[in-house]
């Protein structure tokens, strides 16, 4: 595949890149190895180095994330980024969730955050997860004080840590290892490890109040939190409690999302897009919220094609859309299969209706603006930790931590109601009773009869809600084994207990309302045993959404499910020195771990019975898995204190893993740290991993859902370019000209345990260099680091959407197209051209990410204070994959929502009690043309002439100021100072709000003002 050439950047981009590479800072400033201790420890680093001969059993020795071996410096073979909580507070980020999903951590990889509340995501609505390197949250391990946090969420796809559950005020720092570490921590540390480290001994209580208010309203955030503790000679105790509330941000709260979303198809002579958008002849303006721009058909009925008069601005079926055909139509008449009541009419005979085409029909309801862009949520989190010296068992310390969390979140959606009146129904006007529009629907709502008239109604808003109660307890014992070795034994248990609900039309009730008998005053259900209310007779008022309340209450019901996920862990580790070598002591850590997980998701009985009208139905997800592991790590000082070899250290680790579900395998990692001088370090590592599919990937209950017929790639294939593979492949399947898919597409899926899904394996390579040049004191301190990474996952587990599978099937090269092979094996086209797509979890042949992380730091005293510049940039050289062995790797780096480069720059000046701060976030431009065309020059030209698939560079700047007194501090600022809006592009390229791509890197809130007040007692 040919990748697009990199477009010329503007001057601001060059300025930022130059700053990243030349003069700024390491966010996790490398102490020779890319990691910075918390600020209060920085001055102590040299002293610690001088005390390197202290006993290895000193419990104050440092354990850096990525290793289980304690050491007395912060040197590390693997790159570790450290983010202090104070730094995120200054930037206006109060929660651990916000800090972990920031661009500085995610490097542009898409994250599931609050803006995905209206979508079906793993973990359910309202969940927030973390994905490093874009490899997914199931391949990112999250730890709290070095120990696992159990998954949390709702519905059947719970498998990752919900960041909402994490505390904030008591967090000291977060260490982020962007390197595979499965041999150190277990199978899910494929892309990296995030370790949240809390403050322990807290002698003075403190409270924090945080508020963030967008200037345009909606999405306000409020957090109140407190932390306190006490310590004595042989014990200590500390904890925190937090309340967090985020208000809803709706589509109507922002101008860019609420005003005139359009297809933006076809290129104008001035280079803009929208040439082929429909123009309303009554206004001369482009149509908004059309079927191709986020709207849905409403206030309309569907019938067989019938001759009739068009409404204003409608094209008709034959004469205008296909001008080459002469069918001898009467003047002012045309064929239509969609109709709406004429203005002012109260009658329901066909003469009272006017024909409408796909462009002229009603597609917008003001209640669509009530849909959630940000899920509102209320979170309450409590954390308690403590330890006691036992003066026994090797000066052992008994320790524990307890985390409790409750989340209440909800989403507002918009629903279209389709009422199918069966042929011959007495609820239809006599002029329509003999119509046969489509075959009996599979949901049974017409009681086995053909559909006579299909009514499209704008129903209104519905609600989805989640209540998640999460509990985690860890208790352990750590101490000395003899004079030099240490041991740590802990047991952990987590429990996520969630209720989730939504509102849905119930299929069997819809069917009962159509089986009616006449009464003196109208109609009644034939079977009234459960309070059935007859469907309303077809009238213009009904088509317009005026439905009887008792009818709505009968068919529209709450649907409730329950999800329970538990995880138990036991771990025993010992570490210490093995023997001495000429240049230091060989140290080791060995241990064993056992984990057992269980999921039990029980959807509503109506869901299990496939009785949810127009929604995905799910069966129960139930399964357990357990893993037994033993591991070892050895660190060998090969050289030390020599000319051209200040340090040469080898680190190796090994793990044996035995899953109940997928058997056993071994993983290993080899790393080398070389420091030829005190100001230069080079590090490299190579490691493997073995990941058994998570519980939901194995045992997800069978699901059945529907996607619109417009997702059929062969619909209207005649409008596609002649070189289009989709057009050629549809012709090979004998799809008729001007084909319209009138039936919804059935999508069925389930977990992969019953279909032979296999475990994943992966390889991770890193090479890095850290520079800390020794400049004169007047210059200041400069640190630079660059790390190359390459992670390849084989047999990657994935569940692709039905639309994606259809596009992969029909979008394959025409010469290779086979309706019974490749992705087309998952697609069944029936004799009447209806479609069924199977979307079980499957193994993808390979996924690969490869690129560079650049980090830098510059610190200098200027005048009465200290200037600090920090920056990082990630450059993805490769984000690619292939579906089947033997396929070429397809690289999507630089396409929309997969930027090649991202960067963060922070500047601060601290003097006396004041600190001034400026932050700049940058996302590289993105271009999907070459990726979509796949090397076909004619197709590339066609796409460039038809769709806007390119996004320019995105910048967001923020400012803040902090005043810090002895017992209190206040920082305030403005995020998104220039009120930068998300970019826009043509509809159909990616999922969008209006024309803006739904991507976690873009700010939907706009300019916002924040304040954070802290008081110590």
């Amino acid at each position: 595949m040919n990748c697009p050439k990199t477009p010329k950047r503007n001057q601001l981009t060059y300025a930022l890149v130059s700053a990243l590479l030349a003069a700024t800072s390491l966010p996790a400033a490398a102490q020779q190895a890319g990691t910075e201790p918390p600020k209060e420890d920085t001055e102590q680093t040299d002293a610690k180095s001088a005390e390197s001969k202290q006993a290895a059993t000193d419990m104050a020795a440092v354990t850096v994330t990525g290793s289980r071996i304690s050491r007395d410096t912060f040197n590390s073979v693997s790159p570790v980024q450290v983010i202090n909580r104070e730094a995120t507070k200054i930037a206006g980020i109060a929660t651990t969730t916000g800090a972990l999903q920031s661009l500085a951590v995610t490097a542009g990889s898409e994250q599931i955050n609050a803006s995905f509340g209206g979508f079906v995501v793993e973990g359910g609505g309202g969940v927030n997860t973390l994905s490093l390197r874009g490899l997914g949250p199931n391949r990112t391990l999250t730890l709290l004080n070095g120990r696992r946090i159990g998954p949390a969420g709702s519905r059947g796809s719970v498998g990752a840590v919900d960041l909402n559950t994490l505390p904030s005020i008591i967090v000291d720092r977060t260490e982020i290892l962007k390197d595979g570490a499965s041999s150190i921590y277990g199978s899910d540390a494929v892309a990296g490890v995030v370790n949240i480290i809390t403050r322990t001994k807290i002698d003075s209580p403190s409270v924090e109040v945080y508020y963030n208010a967008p200037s345009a309203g909606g999405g306000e955030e409020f957090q109140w939190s407190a932390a306190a503790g006490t310590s004595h000679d042989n014990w200590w105790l500390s904890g925190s409690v937090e309340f967090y509330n985020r208000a809803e941000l709706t589509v109507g709260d922002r101008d860019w999302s609420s005003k005139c979303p359009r297809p933006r198809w076809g290129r104008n002579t001035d280079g803009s897009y929208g040439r082929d958008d429909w123009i309303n002849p009554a206004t001369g303006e482009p149509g908004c919220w059309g079927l191709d721009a986020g709207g849905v058909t409403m206030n309309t009925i569907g019938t067989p094609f019938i001759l009739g008069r068009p409404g204003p601005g409608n094209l008709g079926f034959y004469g205008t859309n296909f001008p080459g055909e002469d069918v001898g139509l009467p003047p002012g008449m045309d064929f239509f299969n969609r109709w709406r009541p004429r203005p002012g009419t109260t009658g329901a005979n066909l003469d009272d209706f006017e024909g409408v085409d796909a462009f002229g029909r009603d597609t917008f309801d003001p209640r669509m603006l009530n849909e959630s862009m940000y899920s509102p949520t209320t979170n309450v989190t409590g954390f308690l930790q403590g330890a006691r010296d036992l003066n026994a068992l090797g000066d052992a310390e008994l320790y524990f931590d307890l985390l409790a969390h409750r989340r209440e979140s909800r989403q507002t959606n918009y629903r279209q109601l389709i009422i199918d009146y069966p042929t011959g129904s007495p609820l239809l006007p006599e002029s329509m009773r003999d119509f046969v529009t489509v075959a009996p629907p599979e949901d049974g709502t017409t009681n086995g009869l053909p559909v006579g008239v299909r009514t499209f109604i704008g129903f209104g808003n519905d609600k989805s809600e989640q209540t998640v109660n999460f509990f985690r307890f860890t208790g352990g014992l750590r101490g000395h084994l003899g004079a030099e070795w240490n041991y740590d034994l802990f047991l952990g248990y987590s429990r996520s207990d969630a209720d989730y609900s939504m509102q849905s039309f119930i299929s069997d009730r819809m069917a009962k309302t159509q089986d009616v008998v006449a009464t003196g005053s109208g109609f009644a259900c034939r079977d009234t045993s459960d309070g059935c209310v007859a469907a309303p007779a077809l009238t213009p008022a009904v088509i317009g959404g005026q439905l009887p309340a008792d009818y709505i209450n009968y068919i529209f019901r709450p649907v409730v499910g329950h999800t329970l996920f538990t995880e138990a862990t036991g771990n025993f580790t010992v570490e210490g020195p093995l023997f001495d070598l000429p240049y230091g002591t060989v140290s080791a850590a060995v241990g064993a771990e056992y984990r057992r997980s269980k999921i039990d998701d029980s959807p509503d009985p109506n869901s299990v019975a496939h009785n949810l009208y127009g929604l995905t139905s799910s069966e129960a997800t139930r399964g357990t898995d357990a893993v037994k592991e033993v591991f070892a790590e050895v660190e060998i000082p090969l050289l030390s204190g020599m000319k051209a070899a200040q340090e040469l250290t080898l680190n190796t680790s090994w793990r044996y893993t035995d899953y109940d579900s997928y058997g056993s395998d071994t993983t290993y990692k080899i790393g080398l740290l070389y420091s030829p001088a005190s100001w230069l370090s080079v590090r490299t590592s190579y490691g493997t991993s073995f990941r058994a599919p998570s519980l939901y990937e194995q045992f997800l209950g069978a699901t059945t859902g529907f996607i619109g017929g417009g997702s059929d790639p062969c619909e209207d294939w005649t409008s596609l370019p002649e070189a289009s593979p989709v057009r050629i492949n549809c012709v090979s399947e004998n799809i008729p000209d001007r084909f319209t898919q009138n039936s919804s597409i059935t999508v069925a899926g389930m977990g992969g345990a019953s279909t032979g899904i296999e475990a994943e394996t992966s390889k991770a390579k890193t090479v890095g260099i850290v520079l800390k040049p020794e400049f004169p004191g007047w210059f200041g301190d400069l640190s630079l680091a660059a790390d190359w990474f390459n992670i390849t996952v084989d047999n990657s587990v994935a569940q692709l959407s039905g639309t994606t599978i259809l596009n992969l099937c029909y979008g394959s090269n025409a010469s290779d197209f086979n309706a019974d092979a490749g992705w087309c094996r998952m697609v069944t086209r029936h004799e009447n051209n209806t479609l069924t797509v199977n979307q079980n979890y499957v193994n993808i042949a390979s996924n690969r990410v490869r690129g560079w992380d650049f980090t830098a730091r510059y610190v200098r005293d200027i005048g009465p204070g200290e200037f600090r510049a920090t920056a990082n940039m990630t450059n993805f050289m490769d984000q690619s994959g292939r579906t089947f062995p033997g396929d070429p790797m397809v690289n999507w780096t630089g396409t929309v929502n997969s930027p090649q480069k991202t960067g963060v720059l922070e500047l601060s000046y601290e003097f006396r009690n004041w600190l001034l701060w400026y932050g700049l976030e940058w996302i590289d431009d993105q271009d999907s043309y070459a990726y979509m065309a796949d090397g076909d020059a004619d197709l590339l030209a066609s796409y460039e002439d038809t769709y806007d698939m390119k996004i320019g560079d995105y910048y967001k700047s923020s400012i803040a100021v902090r005043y810090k007194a002895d017992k209190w501090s206040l920082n305030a600022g403005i995020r998104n100072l220039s009120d930068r809006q998300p970019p826009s592009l043509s509809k159909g390229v990616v999922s969008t709000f209006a024309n803006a791509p739904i991507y976690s890197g873009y700010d939907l809130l706009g300019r916002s003002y924040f304040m954070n007040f802290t008081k110590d007692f």
Side-chain angles (χ1 to χ4, degrees):
M1 173 180 176
N2 295 323
C3 296
K5 294 181 179 179
T6 304
K8 187 175 181 179
R9 305 291 195 271
N10 59 38
Q11 293 180 350
L12 185 56
T13 305
Y14 280 122
L16 176 58
V17 173
S18 298
L20 289 168
L21 295 181
T24 47
S25 82
L26 284 169
Q31 298 296 326
Q32 297 183 353
T35 174
E36 179 187 21
K39 187 174 181 180
E40 59 269 26
D41 293 338
T42 303
E43 293 78 9
Q44 302 174 21
T45 302
D46 293 339
K48 287 183 178 180
S49 298
E51 298 170 2
S52 60
K53 296 181 181 180
Q54 67 185 357
T57 55
D58 186 352
M59 296 296 284
V62 176
T63 302
V64 178
T65 301
S67 173
R68 293 183 180 272
I69 297 174
S70 300
R71 56 182 58 80
D72 51 16
T73 71
F74 279 81
N75 286 11
S76 173
V77 170
S78 299
V80 179
Q81 178 183 359
V82 179
I83 298 179
N84 294 323
R85 183 169 184 268
E86 281 299 313
T88 61
K89 283 173 58 180
I90 290 297
I93 302 173
T95 65
T96 304
T97 299
L100 291 178
Q101 291 188 331
S102 67
L103 205 61
V105 175
T106 63
S109 299
E110 189 168 16
Q111 309 298 313
I112 300 300
N113 62 13
S115 66
F116 285 78
F119 297 84
V120 178
V121 296
E122 295 171 354
V127 74
N128 282 253
T129 57
L130 178 63
S131 168
L132 294 179
R133 305 296 189 204
L135 291 175
N138 285 345
R139 300 177 187 89
T140 299
L141 178 62
T142 305
L143 307 174
L144 182 61
N145 293 322
R147 294 175 284 275
R148 287 173 172 267
I149 308 171
S154 61
R155 305 182 71 92
S157 296
V158 175
V161 172
D162 181 4
L163 303 181
N164 289 299
T165 64
L166 301 176
S168 297
I169 188 174
I170 204 168
V171 171
D172 177 63
R173 67 187 187 276
T174 301
E175 297 179 353
I176 302 149
L177 173 70
K178 296 182 179 180
D179 181 17
S182 291
S183 60
I184 303 292
Y185 294 110
S187 64
D188 40 1
V190 175
V193 180
V194 174
N195 188 11
I196 296 100
I197 300 172
T198 60
R199 294 183 289 154
T200 53
K201 298 179 181 180
I202 301 176
D203 295 325
S204 60
S206 63
V207 296
E208 285 185 10
V209 178
Y210 167 81
Y211 185 68
N212 184 63
S215 59
E220 295 84 358
E221 293 178 277
F222 171 79
Q223 179 169 281
W224 178 92
S225 52
T230 183
S231 60
H232 296 268
D233 291 341
N234 62 351
W235 65 273
W236 61 268
L237 189 70
S238 62
S240 64
V241 61
E242 297 170 1
F243 171 87
Y244 172 79
N245 178 265
R246 181 180 59 245
E248 184 175 33
L249 177 70
T250 69
V251 172
D253 285 334
R254 296 293 178 268
D255 286 345
W256 59 264
S257 59
S258 64
K259 290 184 178 179
C260 203
R262 296 169 49 196
R264 296 188 66 226
W265 291 350
R267 197 162 193 173
N268 298 306
T269 54
D270 63 358
S272 63
Y273 286 86
R275 178 196 64 210
D276 297 333
D277 291 358
W278 180 70
I279 303 297
N280 188 334
T283 64
E285 298 293 330
C288 301
W289 295 92
L291 295 182
D292 297 320
V296 294
T297 298
M298 60 188 68
N299 308 327
T300 304
I301 62 171
T303 70
F305 279 103
I306 301 171
L307 192 64
R309 296 188 181 278
N314 288 281
L315 304 179
F317 185 73
Y318 286 112
T320 307
N321 278 353
F322 306 110
E325 298 192 11
D326 182 8
V327 293
L329 298 179
M333 301 288 282
D334 214 326
F335 283 97
F336 293 90
N337 68 342
R338 297 289 189 272
W339 308 81
R340 66 185 176 203
R342 295 186 185 279
T345 185
T346 58
N349 291 313
L350 200 56
D351 291 341
D352 299 309
F353 288 77
E354 59 188 19
V356 290
D357 63 5
F359 300 104
R361 68 187 67 166
D362 295 336
T363 53
F364 172 66
D365 185 328
R367 291 171 293 183
M368 290 179 179
L369 301 179
N370 298 331
E371 289 190 274
S372 300
M373 280 205 301
Y374 264 24
S375 294
T377 187
T378 299
N379 302 341
V380 180
T381 306
F383 181 73
L384 185 66
Q385 60 183 348
R388 179 181 178 86
D389 295 334
L390 299 181
N391 296 319
L393 301 175
D395 293 328
E397 180 184 61
L398 185 67
Y399 65 90
F400 80 95
D401 63 54
L402 174 66
L403 175 64
H405 169 83
R406 179 180 176 88
R407 166 167 62 90
E408 296 178 358
S409 53
R410 64 176 175 82
Q411 299 81 41
T412 303
N413 306 295
Y414 181 82
R415 293 294 298 273
Q416 174 200 51
L417 174 60
I418 297 176
I419 301 178
D420 284 337
Y421 289 90
T423 298
S425 171
L427 299 172
L428 291 172
E430 289 189 12
S431 61
M432 301 183 186
R433 288 181 186 172
D434 293 334
F435 289 170
V436 177
T437 299
V438 295
E442 294 182 4
D443 54 32
T445 52
T446 59
N447 300 297
L449 296 173
V451 176
V453 174
R454 175 162 285 174
T455 308
F456 301 91
I457 298 170
F459 181 76
N461 300 119
D462 65 349
K463 302 289 185 182
S464 299
E465 297 181 349
Q466 306 83 33
T467 300
V468 180
N469 292 297
F470 178 76
F471 170 85
R472 173 187 181 269
F473 175 79
T474 299
L477 189 70
R478 57 192 170 206
H480 302 302
L481 287 174
E484 298 183 306
W485 282 71
N486 305 319
Y487 71 89
D488 189 348
L489 168 67
F490 72 84
L491 300 175
Y493 176 79
S494 68
R495 176 187 176 95
S496 172
D497 195 337
D499 293 314
Y500 57 94
S501 66
M502 58 182 178
Q503 297 167 294
S504 176
F505 304 108
I506 307 301
S507 294
D508 62 1
R509 292 192 170 210
M510 295 281 290
K512 288 185 68 174
T513 65
Q514 292 291 341
D515 185 13
V516 300
V517 294
T519 65
S521 58
F523 299 93
C525 295
R526 190 180 304 276
D527 178 2
T528 60
S529 58
D530 60 352
C532 177
V533 178
L538 183 67
T539 65
V542 167
I543 299 169
Q546 299 178 33
L547 302 172
D550 54 351
Y551 171 71
I552 294 175
N553 293 336
Y554 178 72
I555 64 171
F556 195 55
R557 309 293 297 173
V559 177
V560 180
H562 178 257
T563 307
L564 180 65
F565 193 106
T566 61
E567 185 171 86
T569 303
N571 182 288
F572 179 70
T573 305
V574 296
E575 61 94 12
L578 288 176
F579 52 85
D580 291 333
L581 290 177
Y583 298 101
T585 301
V586 177
S587 301
V590 296
E593 183 166 300
Y594 174 81
R595 297 192 306 275
R596 186 177 187 274
S597 303
K598 179 180 180 180
I599 188 171
D600 186 344
D601 176 62
S602 301
D604 189 274
N606 283 299
S607 178
V608 176
H610 300 257
N611 199 29
L612 304 181
Y613 181 63
L615 292 178
T616 299
S617 295
S618 303
E619 298 182 8
T621 298
R622 295 189 176 98
T624 61
D625 203 358
V627 58
K628 299 178 284 292
E629 298 177 299
V630 293
F631 52 86
E633 180 183 0
V634 178
E635 190 160 280
I636 306 171
L638 301 177
L639 295 173
S640 177
M642 300 177 62
K643 185 177 181 180
Q646 292 290 317
E647 179 180 1
L648 179 62
T649 301
L650 176 69
N651 182 281
T652 64
S653 55
W654 169 90
R655 179 175 289 250
Y656 172 78
T657 301
D658 185 7
Y659 276 93
D660 288 353
S661 58
Y662 282 91
S664 61
D665 201 352
T666 59
T667 58
Y668 65 90
K669 184 176 181 179
I670 301 172
L672 191 69
L673 173 66
Y674 172 52
S675 298
S678 60
W679 54 271
L680 173 63
S681 293
V682 179
R683 57 196 177 205
T684 183
S685 67
Y686 175 83
T688 64
S689 72
F690 169 78
R691 188 183 82 90
S694 60
L695 291 182
Y696 73 86
E697 290 170 334
Q698 297 182 53
F699 304 114
L700 183 69
T703 62
T704 301
F706 304 92
I707 55 178
S711 294
D712 186 344
C714 293
E715 181 170 80
D716 194 21
W717 58 262
T718 51
S719 65
L720 298 174
E722 291 188 4
S724 167
V726 174
R727 177 178 180 138
I728 297 171
N729 295 335
C730 292
V731 170
S732 72
E733 289 233 271
N734 298 316
I735 307 298
D737 292 358
R738 304 164 189 160
F739 170 68
T740 299
Q741 181 59 267
N742 289 318
S743 299
S744 296
I745 300 169
T746 302
V747 179
M750 62 186 301
S754 61
T755 57
I757 193 174
E758 298 177 359
E760 295 179 353
T761 60
S762 68
K763 302 178 181 66
K765 309 169 190 175
T766 65
V767 177
I769 183 170
V770 179
L771 298 170
K772 193 175 182 182
E774 297 176 353
F775 294 108
W778 60 264
F779 180 83
D781 295 327
L782 174 65
S783 300
L784 302 169
D787 288 283
W788 175 82
F789 58 88
N790 186 333
I791 303 174
T792 301
V793 181
D794 294 320
N795 281 335
S796 178
V797 177
Q799 183 188 44
L800 302 183
S801 70
T803 301
T804 299
I805 293 171
L806 285 166
N807 290 335
L808 286 169
C809 169
Y810 284 95
S812 59
N813 288 330
S815 59
D816 301 326
F817 179 75
N818 185 337
D820 299 316
W823 284 107
C824 293
R825 290 178 297 187
M826 306 174 73
V827 178
T828 302
R829 186 174 290 275
H830 304 284
E831 290 185 1
N832 58 357
N833 274 321
T834 59
L835 286 171
T836 299
V837 181
N838 181 295
Q839 58 166 178
N840 294 349
Y841 279 92
V842 295
N843 291 108
I844 306 299
S846 295
N847 277 337
R848 182 175 65 207
V849 291
R850 182 168 54 95
W852 285 89
D853 287 329
F854 299 99
T855 56
R857 179 186 66 182
Y858 177 71
V859 181
R860 188 182 188 278
D861 291 336
I862 300 177
E866 179 187 78
F867 171 76
R868 178 180 294 258
T870 65
N872 60 58
M873 185 180 79
T874 295
N875 178 13
F876 281 104
M877 302 162 60
D878 191 1
Q879 298 174 83
S880 60
R882 61 180 168 218
T883 307
F884 301 106
D887 289 352
M889 295 291 284
V890 178
N891 186 4
W892 56 82
T893 301
T895 62
V896 175
N897 286 3
S898 297
Q900 181 179 353
K901 301 182 183 72
T902 58
V904 177
L905 169 67
E906 296 182 64
L907 307 174
S908 67
Y909 183 67
E910 187 172 10
F911 62 101
R912 299 186 181 92
N913 300 80
W914 294 89
L915 184 144
L916 307 177
W917 176 90
Y918 170 80
L920 176 66
E921 299 179 16
W922 165 58
I923 299 175
D924 194 15
D925 63 359
Q926 299 145 59
D927 184 338
S928 292
Y929 288 115
Y931 173 78
M932 296 295 293
D934 195 17
D936 188 316
D938 292 337
L939 199 56
L940 175 62
S942 175
Y943 281 138
E944 289 177 338
D945 189 53
T946 307
Y947 305 106
D948 184 1
M949 299 185 185
K950 185 175 181 178
I951 291 174
D953 295 81
Y954 178 86
Y955 298 90
K956 184 179 75 173
S957 59
S958 304
I959 58 172
V961 59
R962 184 190 71 189
Y963 180 83
K964 189 173 185 180
D966 289 340
K967 292 291 185 178
W968 62 272
S969 67
L970 174 68
N971 68 280
I974 305 172
R975 292 186 60 79
N976 196 349
L977 185 63
S978 62
D979 199 21
R980 183 68 185 267
Q981 297 178 359
S984 64
L985 70 172
S986 296
K987 297 289 285 190
V989 179
V990 294
S991 297
T992 59
F993 285 126
N995 287 97
I998 301 175
Y999 171 64
S1000 56
Y1002 299 133
D1003 186 1
L1004 305 183
L1005 291 174
R1007 182 188 299 116
S1008 62
Y1009 304 91
F1010 68 88
M1011 178 276 296
N1012 194 313
F1013 175 78
T1014 303
K1015 170 65 176 174
D1016 297 327
F1017 297 92

